[in-house]
Amino acid sequence: SAGGASGGGVRFELEKETELRFEVEAGEKVQLELLSGLAEVFGSELTRNKKYTFGSGSKIAVFTWHSCSVSLTGKTEVAYVSRDTPMLLYLNTHAALEQMRQQAERDNERGPRVMVVGPTDVGKSTVCRLLLNYAVRLGRRPTLVELDVGQSGVSVPGTVSALCIERPADVEEGFSVQAPLVYHFGSTSPGTNIKLYNKLTSCLAEVFSQRCEVNRKASVGGCVINTCGWVKGSGYQALVHCASAFEVDVVLVLDQERLYNELKRDLPHFVKVVLLPKSGGVVERNKDCRREARDEKIREYFYGFRGVSFYPHAFDVRFSDVRIYKIGAPSIPDSCLPLGMSQDDTQLKLVPVTPGRDLTHHVLSVSCAEDEGAEAGASGPAAQRRGILESPVCGFIVVTAVDTQAQVMTVLSPAPRPLPRHTLLIMDIRFIDLK
Ligand code: ATP
């Protein structure tokens, strides 16, 4: 229930197991303060009398297990208290996972590997954040695996990644992303290159398993995998592939009975498939909203976030100093394929890109793959051998201008010249730097 104003803010008294949901109006900011009691935002506890600021378009829920009073200052699009939340079910899910971790500890086994699935806008990312927060608050060290190439919580869009969670997410900024393992996918929908998507899923699974072998805490902590909202056709097959690559133990299906039944039918019987309701608070986001969120993620990568400002560098890169590839050749009719080659091969092929004006504004991943001597123009087979596809990314740049005459391009880079590596992978994604 909304109460009187306090210091310019609106005060809300929350009873136990209720939540205050609010959305920040476009172009505005809202300050949240916990005045008394205990409360959390997506599993991160609030500190009393600290002012938390949320930017334009943020959609937030302040939940309390006990009861609390909070105040909101600034322009909200909506702000209301709801008693109808699935939080108790989510907490029970966490408790079941924690039991599996305790058992893993006792029996010297590995902890739960959990995949969170469901259509778009059902709160998958939020459930992942919640489960990871509750786990890390108990001293666990779970891993977040981010397979949502459209709205990555870890890196820029067009990537898949893994991140070891060592502390709860910051209430305003989310999980601290100090040393994520990131792979280049190149576009915002897995459907653009499903073979590559599945291959990268396998890569992440392999690296995670290797880490579990040498790091007991990581093994017991297990992982929480966030997936894309594409749950039909090849999108569904990608979920089944992911379940098998990671050997998941638990699948949490949000809000879709059909998907739940399909996965129960298609996954091995020892995989626990659980249907969970979505929260009524999850807000649908339209295309523009998603595009804006993606843009913001790239801007943050170069310019920092709120308190922390980064100062990116702009410099020229000679065409002859780099090798640019696109992953996946356009598909051609089977009858035109060279003997012994399949469509799969074309989707995983590295195609050299000749730099031109159309590179402008494209985001490029700088691959960690070792540069191969001075042998400029190395293409196809040689490049494949070096395993560029399976190499993580060490950073991103944006092409801001191309001068074909001088054979140079100007790039925006988080670090000063020179580039750490010279193999660049082009994304479909573009970023227009307005600063
Ligand atoms: P997608 O797969 O489309 O990326 P998703 O299923 O992962 O979406 P989320 O990103 O978790 O969905 O949630 C969508 C939005 O709803 C987010 O902005 C999130 O902050 C907000 N949200 C989630 N739960 C609540 C809640 N209980 N109250 C208010 N807002 C919420």
Side-chain angles (χ1 to χ4, degrees):
S1 59
S6 80
V10 182
R11 195 178 161 124
F12 294 86
E13 307 294 338
L14 304 188
E15 287 169 29
K16 73 172 199 174
E17 289 169 32
T18 63
E19 72 185 17
L20 167 66
R21 297 172 183 160
F22 65 92
E23 262 184 80
V24 181
E25 223 178 85
E28 298 289 334
K29 277 185 199 154
V30 166
Q31 269 192 346
L32 163 73
E33 185 180 342
L34 174 66
L35 304 170
S36 67
L38 295 169
E40 54 184 46
V41 168
F42 306 137
S44 305
E45 268 196 290
L46 294 181
T47 305
R48 199 173 304 167
N49 297 124
K50 185 175 163 172
K51 292 191 170 75
Y52 297 94
T53 307
F54 298 96
S56 169
S58 302
K59 301 159 180 52
I60 305 295
V62 185
F63 182 85
T64 178
W65 290 108
H66 308 276
S67 75
C68 70
S69 63
V70 297
S71 81
L72 290 184
T73 315
K75 283 193 183 141
T76 51
E77 190 130 318
V78 285
Y80 67 96
V81 176
S82 172
R83 322 173 152 270
D84 186 18
T85 84
M87 285 292 282
L88 205 53
L89 290 170
Y90 295 170
L91 182 70
N92 287 340
T93 307
H94 154 72
L97 297 177
E98 180 51 27
Q99 263 181 16
M100 292 171 80
R101 291 187 189 103
Q102 284 167 4
Q103 193 175 354
E105 235 166 9
R106 270 199 310 273
D107 304 346
N108 206 21
E109 298 268 353
R110 60 178 176 72
R113 298 178 172 196
V114 186
M115 182 168 87
V116 180
V117 304
T120 50
D121 295 322
V122 289
K124 292 183 295 297
S125 317
T126 307
V127 168
C128 290
R129 178 163 166 179
L130 199 67
L131 295 174
L132 291 163
N133 267 337
Y134 286 167
V136 78
R137 279 166 66 179
L138 293 180
R140 301 297 182 189
R141 292 292 176 268
T143 299
L144 165 62
V145 177
E146 178 60 89
L147 296 182
D148 189 346
V149 289
Q151 310 279 321
S152 170
V154 174
S155 188
V156 303
T159 60
V160 294
S161 49
L163 180 70
C164 313
I165 305 297
E166 297 186 320
R167 63 189 69 90
D170 182 271
V171 171
E172 296 160 317
E173 300 180 18
F175 289 113
S176 137
V177 279
Q178 303 243 308
L181 176 71
V182 182
Y183 289 94
H184 168 97
F185 177 66
S187 91
T188 58
S189 155
T192 352
N193 191 338
I194 199 75
K195 285 276 158 18
L196 176 62
Y197 185 77
N198 287 335
K199 188 174 175 82
L200 296 177
T201 304
S202 300
C203 276
L204 279 171
E206 206 178 302
V207 176
F208 176 61
S209 291
Q210 280 165 6
R211 183 173 149 84
C212 288
E213 268 168 39
V214 296
N215 186 323
R216 191 68 197 128
K217 281 213 89 163
S219 175
V220 170
C223 66
V224 179
I225 308 167
N226 188 26
T227 59
C228 286
W230 183 33
V231 297
K232 287 185 182 160
S234 306
Y236 176 75
Q237 290 309 324
L239 295 178
V240 174
H241 170 79
C242 173
S244 113
F246 276 90
E247 299 176 338
V248 302
D249 310 285
V250 179
V251 179
L252 304 177
V253 186
L254 286 174
D255 194 50
Q256 208 189 78
E257 227 177 313
R258 205 200 65 194
L259 180 61
Y260 164 75
N261 282 309
E262 283 175 336
L263 287 168
K264 264 183 81 126
R265 183 193 65 205
D266 296 342
L267 295 181
H269 65 275
F270 52 81
V271 179
K272 291 188 198 71
V273 185
V274 183
L275 181 65
L276 287 172
K278 74 166 185 183
S279 165
V282 179
V283 188
E284 264 182 45
R285 289 166 299 172
N286 57 25
K287 267 206 166 112
D288 290 341
C289 204
R290 284 167 193 280
R291 189 174 318 113
E292 252 167 54
R294 284 200 285 268
D295 234 49
E296 189 49 39
K297 208 72 204 171
I298 302 174
R299 185 163 300 111
E300 272 170 28
Y301 175 80
F302 288 105
Y303 290 101
F305 194 67
R306 300 213 194 127
V308 212
S309 297
F310 301 153
Y311 299 94
H313 302 257
F315 53 85
D316 287 349
V317 175
R318 288 207 310 258
F319 293 167
S320 57
D321 286 344
V322 291
R323 271 166 232 107
I324 308 174
Y325 300 102
K326 179 186 177 337
I327 303 179
S331 57
I332 45 177
D334 282 332
S335 57
C336 303
L337 283 170
L339 206 62
M341 204 180 185
S342 72
Q343 292 289 358
D344 296 12
D345 300 326
T346 65
Q347 281 203 301
L348 299 180
K349 198 173 146 68
L350 281 161
V351 185
V353 173
T354 315
R357 260 195 201 90
D358 49 0
L359 267 188
T360 318
H361 303 314
H362 275 274
V363 180
L364 304 180
S365 304
V366 181
S367 171
C368 286
E370 289 295 333
D371 297 324
E372 197 179 69
E375 186 202 335
S379 68
Q384 309 273 17
R385 248 182 282 125
R386 279 178 282 145
I388 290 172
L389 242 57
E390 298 94 337
S391 296
V393 164
C394 53
F396 304 92
I397 55 176
V398 170
V399 179
T400 51
V402 178
D403 184 339
T404 44
Q405 207 100 77
Q407 295 276 294
V408 297
M409 58 185 185
T410 311
V411 303
L412 184 71
S413 157
R417 165 200 337 247
L419 292 174
R421 289 279 200 281
H422 299 95
T423 302
L424 308 176
L425 299 170
I426 186 168
M427 292 214 189
D428 287 351
I429 301 161
R430 296 198 287 170
F431 175 70
I432 302 192
D433 187 22
L434 295 171
K435 272 223 174 155

